[in-house]
């Protein structure tokens, strides 16, 4: 087969579908079909008219409407497909170059075409390749997310379910909280809460960017195996389990989870540990912190902004302090019903109101005398089984903290 | 320091605040300014329906008020009336006959404002702030739909204090749009639900989100026969997804595009990515407008998949936009949207609503 010149230059827009050969040490036969649920993004709008002037000079001839590839833009195929329709059409519109059109198509690896994006480590099955591409995509996305200045308190996902550790919070909710706190004169709570959120977001991003083996395993479990636990079908409950299972970045539910349960005491109805994506602030953050419970206490560094939130008056056991503040933030005003986020008032997700009550305001309900772990004697056999199992079973997640010796910390 | 990343200097007055009155970036597009704009950020804009003569603009703001202006043909805006809530107003909509305005607020209530009598009465109650409100006019019923952060979607006959129907949603409602017989609600955690409103509202389909990040705004578009056929969904990540409900070829027909980002062609420095705050479809041409946190608005043709125009950058984010009933006027509001946290919030900074002539710029690009 003829070797594709564009591929050699790193800018073949057909990618997998190119009829010429892309020498890669054994061409890969036909792309692994699409079959992803996302709609394929077109990398830029009107990309067919956009011609990058800088690249133009280099080419001997120009593939109709191409875009500069970083060498791994398998999206080129998709764009080509779309553009070839009227490639002959408008090409004179230089102005369209001013709209941002990044070559980094996030959906590239969803395309399952195993081309450029797949660096090195190719040994193994397609599934592994897919996984590693997904993980790479996550890392890339995290990079972009961090550097772009976009809103950080957003959920994130590359598959059906949102990835754990990223609670969804809209600017309006945050703003409302600010307004109500400043009306009640309690801005400090707001500041603390926001700082808390911010640091948890940062740490979660770091965790995903650095992708150590624990995170990797947890992520893969989530991406592939979230079925049993969190199974799709809908949003509500299931995704929350998704976050419970692997949100911790460590494959062991033992570690951070208990800290949380300890703090919460009794997340009542749904054993979500308050990780619900629910509007309650503190919750998701628990899941986003890195492996060790002490991670909770740690993110206190207000890093960048002067965002601080809650009354960190709560110096409960390290594990809970994170929650203490967070919940303090939401609920410092009148405990349960109001709930700065309105949700607390709602019947659903009472997890937080109570627990925060446990934290910030009320004493007592604070778990078993504020200890992080329970002793084996305190747990029923079923609970012990749960802790010993690799995963929690829906509906049977223990409310008490696990015994310390079951913790496997790496 | 900014909340996320190193943002450009928003809200701090832009470049020359004092002394350089030549380049006034609060209105770089030189559009008509609406007189007496609200004192705090504008959360929503709505023009009167075609059943009413003239153009009336309603704006809800974070100053707890809803204001009404008459927009005259010569471009003059005359403030007409105002109503208050006890919390910031998040959404407004008109009834189909143009006599009533429905307002939804963070005080967990929605009110019906009768413009003729200038009276407002409460018609809805939720357990959490109400984020979206729409009027539904069906052949056999009419009601107000409210979506709230308490995860419910409720339908109210304005005469009764209990809702006609209450649907549970998986998560907090972030935005919604209604074009009979279809309604689309986008919730937190990337939830996306389509409802069908014929006979009585019911859930039609839950859709896997085409976007990776938080949903921020949604707008339904219609096909050539004026039937709702799909929607545009915007996220905080500078991206809009166009999604058809029953396309002949989903992989090809549905797509996403990036918008409201800086650094168009320069791929070396990281891009700044801004949220898409609102999307509005032109009622006649079917082209769409998006406004973002970067302080720009853009017009797009989704069928030709091209961008029609991008504005200059305003010094504040653009938080809301809408077209009037015949598509001649495009209104957009310039105010802070909290995208960079509280530090960039300046209560003293003036908020604006601009009106632009939209008849020409939104014509679809002809496909050759």
């Amino acid at each position: 087969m003829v070797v594709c010149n564009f591929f050699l230059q790193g800018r073949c827009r057909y990618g997998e579908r190119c009829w010429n050969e892309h020498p890669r040490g054994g061409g890969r036969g036909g792309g692994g079909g699409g079959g992803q649920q996302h709609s394929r993004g077109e990398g830029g709008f009107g990309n067919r008219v956009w011609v990058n002037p800088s690249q133009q000079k280099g080419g001997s001839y120009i593939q109709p409407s191409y875009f500069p590839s970083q060498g791994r833009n398998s999206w080129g195929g998709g764009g080509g497909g779309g553009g070839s329709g009227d490639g002959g059409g408008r090409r004179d519109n230089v102005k369209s170059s001013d709209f941002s059109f990044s070559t980094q198509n996030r959906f590239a690896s969803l395309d399952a075409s195993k081309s450029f994006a797949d660096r090195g480590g190719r040994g193994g099955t397609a599934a592994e390749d897919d996984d590693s591409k997904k993980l790479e995509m996550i890392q890339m996305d995290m990079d972009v997310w961090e550097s772009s200045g976009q809103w950080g308190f957003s959920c994130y996902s590359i598959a059906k379910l949102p990835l754990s550790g990223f609670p969804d919070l809209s600017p309006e909710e945050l703003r409302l909280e600010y307004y109500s706190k400043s009306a009640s004169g309690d801005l400090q709570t707001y500041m603390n809460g926001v700082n808390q959120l911010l640091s948890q977001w940062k740490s979660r991003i770091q965790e995903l960017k650095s992708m150590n083996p624990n995170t990797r395993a947890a992520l893969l479990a989530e991406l592939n195996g979230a079925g049993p636990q969190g199974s799709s079908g809908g949003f509500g409950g299931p995704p929350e389990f998704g976050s419970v299972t692997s949100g911790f970045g460590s494959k062991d539910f033992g570690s951070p989870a208990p800290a949380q349960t300890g703090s919460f005491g009794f997340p009542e109805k749904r054993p979500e540990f308050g990780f619900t994506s629910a509007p309650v602030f503190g919750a998701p953050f628990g899941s986003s912190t890195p492996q060790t419970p002490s991670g909770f206490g740690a993110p206190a560094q207000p890093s960048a902004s002067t965002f601080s939130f809650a009354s960190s008056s709560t110096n409960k056991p390290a594990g809970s302090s994170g929650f203490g503040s967070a919940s303090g933030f939401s609920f410092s005003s009148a405990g349960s019903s109001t709930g700065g986020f309105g949700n607390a008032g709602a019947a659903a997700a009472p997890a937080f109101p109570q627990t925060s009550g446990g934290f910030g305001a009320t004493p007592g309900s604070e778990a078993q005398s504020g200890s992080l772990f329970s002793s084996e004697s305190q747990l029923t056999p079923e609970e012990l089984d749960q802790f010993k199992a690799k995963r929690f079973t829906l509906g049977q997640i223990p409310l008490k903290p696990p015994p310390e010796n079951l913790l496997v910390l790496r | 320091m900014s909340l996320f990343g190193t943002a450009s200097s928003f809200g701090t007055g832009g470049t020359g605040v004092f002394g350089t009155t030549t380049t006034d970036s609060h209105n770089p597009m030189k559009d008509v300014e609406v007189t007496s704009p609200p004192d705090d950020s504008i959360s929503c804009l709505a023009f009167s329906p075609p059943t009413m003569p003239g153009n009336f603009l309603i704006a809800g703001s974070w100053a707890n008020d809803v204001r009404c202006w008459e927009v005259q043909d010569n471009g003059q805006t005359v403030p007409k009336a105002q109503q208050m809530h006890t919390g910031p107003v998040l959404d407004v909509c008109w009834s189909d006959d143009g006599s009533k305005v429905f307002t939804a607020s963070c005080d967990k209530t929605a009110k019906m404002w009768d413009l003729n009598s200038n009276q407002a009465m409460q018609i809805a109650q939720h357990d959490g702030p109400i984020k979206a409100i729409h009027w539904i006019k069906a052949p056999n019923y009419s009601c107000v739909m409210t979506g709230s952060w308490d995860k419910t979607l409720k339908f109210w006959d304005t005469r009764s204090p209990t809702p006609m129907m209450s649907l549970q949603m998986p998560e907090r409602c972030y935005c919604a749009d209604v074009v009979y017989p279809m309604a689309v609600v986008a919730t937190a955690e990337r939830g996306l639900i389509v409802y069908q409103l014929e006979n009585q509202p019911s859930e039609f389909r839950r859709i896997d989100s085409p976007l990776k990040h938080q949903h921020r705004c949604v707008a339904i578009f219609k096909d050539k026969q004026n039937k709702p056929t799909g929607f545009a969904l915007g996220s905080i990540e500078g991206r809009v997804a166009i999604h058809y409900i029953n396309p002949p070829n989903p992989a090809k027909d549905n797509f996403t595009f990036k918008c409201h980002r800086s650094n168009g062609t320069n791929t070396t420095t990281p891009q700044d990515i801004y949220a898409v705050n609102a999307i509005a479809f032109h009622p006649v041409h079917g082209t769409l407008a998006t406004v973002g946190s970067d302080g720009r608005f853009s017009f797009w043709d989704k069928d030709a998949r091209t961008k029609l125009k991008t504005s200059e950058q305003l010094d504040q984010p653009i938080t809301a936009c809408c077209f009037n009933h015949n598509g001649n006027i495009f209104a957009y509001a310039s105010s802070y949207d909290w995208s960079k946290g509280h530090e960039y919030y300046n209560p003293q900074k003036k908020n604006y609503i601009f009106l632009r002539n939209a008849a020409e710029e939104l014509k679809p690009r002809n496909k050759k």
Side-chain angles (χ1 to χ4, degrees):
Chain A
M1 278 176 51
V2 176
V3 164
C4 177
N5 265 321
F6 293 100
F7 174 78
L8 292 180
Q9 291 169 27
R11 54 194 180 96
C12 173
R13 71 189 195 103
Y14 294 102
E16 273 273 326
R17 295 160 32 181
C18 186
W19 294 341
N20 299 322
E21 181 173 357
H22 290 181
R24 295 186 62 122
R28 304 179 159 252
Q36 74 280 17
Q37 59 275 32
H38 285 279
S39 52
R40 303 221 349 210
E42 275 208 338
F45 214 22
N47 55 10
R48 52 194 95 155
V49 303
W50 186 79
V51 169
N52 185 350
S54 64
Q55 290 251 1
Q56 204 161 359
K57 305 181 196 107
S60 49
Y61 70 95
I62 301 169
Q63 273 180 333
S65 71
Y66 66 93
F67 40 93
S69 162
Q70 290 167 352
R72 47 201 191 100
N73 198 345
S74 60
W75 222 70
S84 58
D86 62 348
R90 307 147 285 154
R91 303 163 35 124
D92 50 18
N93 192 350
V94 178
K95 275 231 179 117
S96 46
S97 61
D98 64 343
F99 70 79
S100 44
F101 163 16
S102 150
T103 59
Q104 228 188 20
N105 176 24
R106 319 280 177 75
F107 295 113
S109 51
L110 284 185
D111 198 9
S113 45
K114 312 177 197 309
S115 48
F116 312 100
D118 197 3
R119 294 175 277 195
R122 198 157 314 179
T125 60
E128 282 179 22
D129 265 348
D130 257 343
D131 280 344
S132 66
K133 275 205 304 257
K134 284 186 193 161
L135 294 180
E136 267 169 37
M137 190 160 72
I138 294 184
Q139 283 178 297
M140 264 166 39
D141 281 345
M142 293 299 124
D143 242 326
V144 172
W145 196 349
E146 213 180 4
S147 62
S148 63
Q150 70 185 60
W151 184 250
F153 301 143
S154 149
C155 56
Y156 167 75
S157 154
I158 57 169
K160 268 193 184 189
L161 296 177
L163 215 59
S164 59
F166 288 117
D168 216 2
L169 213 53
S170 67
E172 284 75 36
E173 287 167 298
L174 208 61
R175 184 178 195 159
L176 182 62
E177 195 58 26
Y178 175 87
Y179 277 38
S180 45
K181 287 291 173 297
S182 70
S184 65
D186 194 9
L187 267 185
Q188 194 54 39
T189 317
Y190 171 83
M191 307 281 223
N192 294 343
V194 178
N195 260 349
Q196 178 81 22
L197 284 173
L198 199 55
S199 47
Q200 309 220 351
W201 173 67
K202 285 192 177 157
S203 58
R204 180 65 174 147
I205 288 223
Q206 274 313 113
E207 194 179 293
L208 289 174
K209 263 169 54 160
S210 56
M211 200 58 84
N212 59 36
N214 279 349
T215 331
R216 198 183 187 90
L219 274 182
L220 287 178
E222 209 179 310
L223 289 175
N224 301 325
Q229 221 114 7
S231 66
S232 44
F235 307 93
E240 289 143 349
F241 286 111
S243 58
V244 170
T245 53
S246 52
F248 303 99
S250 79
K251 33 196 185 136
D252 212 293
F253 297 117
S255 33
Q260 268 115 26
T261 40
S263 325
F264 288 138
F266 329 109
E268 51 229 82
K269 306 188 181 153
R270 310 187 266 165
E272 295 155 36
F273 301 131
F275 283 163
T276 54
S277 32
V280 177
F281 256 7
F285 291 131
S287 59
S288 66
T289 50
Q291 288 88 329
T292 59
S294 63
F296 285 133
Q301 317 121 18
S303 47
S305 51
T306 55
F307 237 10
S308 25
F309 250 165
S311 52
S312 27
S313 56
T314 61
N315 14 333
K316 324 280 175 153
S320 46
S321 66
F323 282 103
S325 3
S327 56
F329 145 73
S330 296
F331 299 93
S332 57
S333 51
S336 45
S337 42
T338 39
F341 282 142
N343 180 44
F352 242 71
Q354 264 68 347
T355 55
S356 63
F359 273 135
T362 23
S365 62
E366 185 97 43
Q368 285 64 25
S369 59
S371 63
L372 269 181
F373 307 112
S374 32
S375 57
E376 300 225 356
S377 51
Q378 285 177 314
L379 297 171
T380 67
E382 290 82 22
E383 288 173 324
L384 260 183
D385 276 336
Q386 285 292 310
F387 285 124
K388 289 198 178 127
K390 209 167 186 304
R391 281 222 166 89
F392 286 130
T393 317
L394 197 57
Q396 284 164 19
I397 303 183
L399 297 177
K400 306 195 196 101
E404 199 161 351
N405 53 342
L406 277 185
L407 274 183
V408 176
L409 291 173
R410 299 221 172 182
Chain B
M1 288 289 272
S2 64
L3 177 46
F4 300 115
T6 53
S8 52
S9 56
F10 245 161
T12 52
T15 47
V17 175
F18 303 114
T20 48
T21 42
T22 47
T23 49
D24 186 5
S25 55
H26 85 270
N27 186 8
M29 304 303 289
K30 311 256 185 307
D31 288 326
V32 174
E33 257 181 59
V34 167
T35 55
S36 321
D39 298 319
D40 203 347
S41 296
I42 292 121
S43 56
C44 47
L45 289 173
F47 266 106
S48 52
T51 41
M52 244 171 75
N55 287 305
F56 289 82
L57 176 65
I58 296 277
S61 84
W62 280 78
N64 303 1
D65 64 0
V66 190
R67 297 186 182 201
C68 176
W69 296 263
E70 178 182 359
V71 179
Q72 293 163 344
D73 295 332
N74 57 2
Q76 291 263 16
T77 51
V78 180
K80 284 288 194 194
Q82 173 174 324
Q83 282 291 333
M84 302 293 294
H85 266 268
T86 49
V89 175
L90 294 183
D91 200 9
V92 289
C93 74
W94 288 79
S95 64
D96 63 306
D97 60 355
S99 62
K100 319 249 186 308
V101 170
F102 298 98
T103 60
S105 158
C106 291
D107 62 6
K108 310 181 194 172
T109 68
K111 292 192 179 171
M112 172 169 80
W113 180 9
D114 183 332
L115 295 168
N116 297 325
S117 63
N118 201 14
Q119 296 292 325
M121 54 176 256
Q122 180 177 337
I123 49 146
Q125 178 74 45
H126 269 267
D127 297 320
I130 305 181
K131 182 67 172 63
I133 188 166
H134 289 87
W135 171 253
I136 300 178
K137 175 101 176 89
N140 54 338
Y141 71 93
S142 308
C143 66
V144 176
M145 179 181 93
T146 52
S148 155
W149 287 344
D150 69 357
K151 305 188 188 180
T152 62
L153 195 64
K154 296 192 177 173
F155 299 82
W156 307 83
D157 174 336
T158 56
R159 295 159 298 204
S160 158
T162 46
M164 285 163 43
M165 177 180 285
S166 173
L167 295 175
Q168 187 66 26
M169 293 190 293
E171 257 289 353
R172 302 151 274 167
C173 168
Y174 275 170
C175 47
D177 195 13
V178 167
V179 171
Y180 186 80
M182 174 169 132
V184 145
V185 178
T187 70
E189 301 294 328
R190 296 167 65 248
L192 198 48
I193 314 170
V194 178
Y195 295 87
Q196 69 83 26
L197 304 170
E198 269 178 77
N199 205 9
Q200 72 169 15
S202 62
E203 205 179 288
F204 173 71
R205 194 190 291 171
R206 290 203 177 182
I207 299 183
D208 290 327
S209 172
L211 298 172
K212 289 185 180 180
H213 286 86
Q214 185 181 111
H215 297 157
R216 188 124 176 83
C217 50
V218 71
I220 294 177
F221 57 81
K222 301 187 274 203
D223 60 14
K224 304 251 183 329
Q225 287 79 35
N226 239 11
K227 299 224 172 327
T229 179
F231 55 88
L233 179 67
S235 79
I236 49 120
E237 183 238 347
R239 195 182 286 264
V240 171
I242 300 285
H243 189 96
Y244 289 82
I245 300 291
N246 280 324
N249 188 346
K252 279 183 63 176
D253 295 335
N254 297 337
F255 64 96
T256 72
F257 62 92
K258 296 184 201 157
C259 49
H260 300 289
R261 298 179 174 208
S262 62
N263 271 354
T265 54
N266 180 0
T267 48
T268 52
T269 59
Q271 264 185 337
D272 291 324
I273 297 182
Y274 298 91
V276 181
N277 283 329
I279 304 180
F281 277 90
H282 192 277
V284 172
H285 296 309
T287 46
L288 69 146
T290 61
V291 294
S293 283
D294 53 351
R296 296 182 195 261
F297 61 81
S298 296
F299 299 144
W300 311 82
D301 180 345
K302 71 176 198 320
D303 301 310
R305 300 200 184 181
T306 57
K307 181 193 292 206
L308 300 172
K309 178 188 182 71
T310 297
S311 73
E312 297 298 319
Q313 184 169 26
L314 274 67
D315 59 351
Q316 289 186 97
I318 304 185
T319 48
C321 68
C322 76
F323 286 100
N324 77 330
H325 66 88
N326 59 14
N328 288 340
I329 312 180
F330 174 63
Y332 58 100
S334 166
S335 52
Y336 184 51
D337 61 356
W338 217 255
S339 49
K340 305 256 166 251
H342 66 279
E343 293 119 336
Y344 283 79
Y345 174 48
N346 178 358
Q348 263 56 30
K349 186 142 174 72
K350 197 159 181 248
N351 306 288
Y352 298 94
I353 302 178
F354 295 112
L355 302 177
R356 185 176 182 81
N357 187 319
E360 284 306 309
E361 287 169 332
L362 276 118
K363 288 208 170 130
R365 189 69 59 80
N366 290 329
K367 275 177 140 168
K368 296 256 187 309

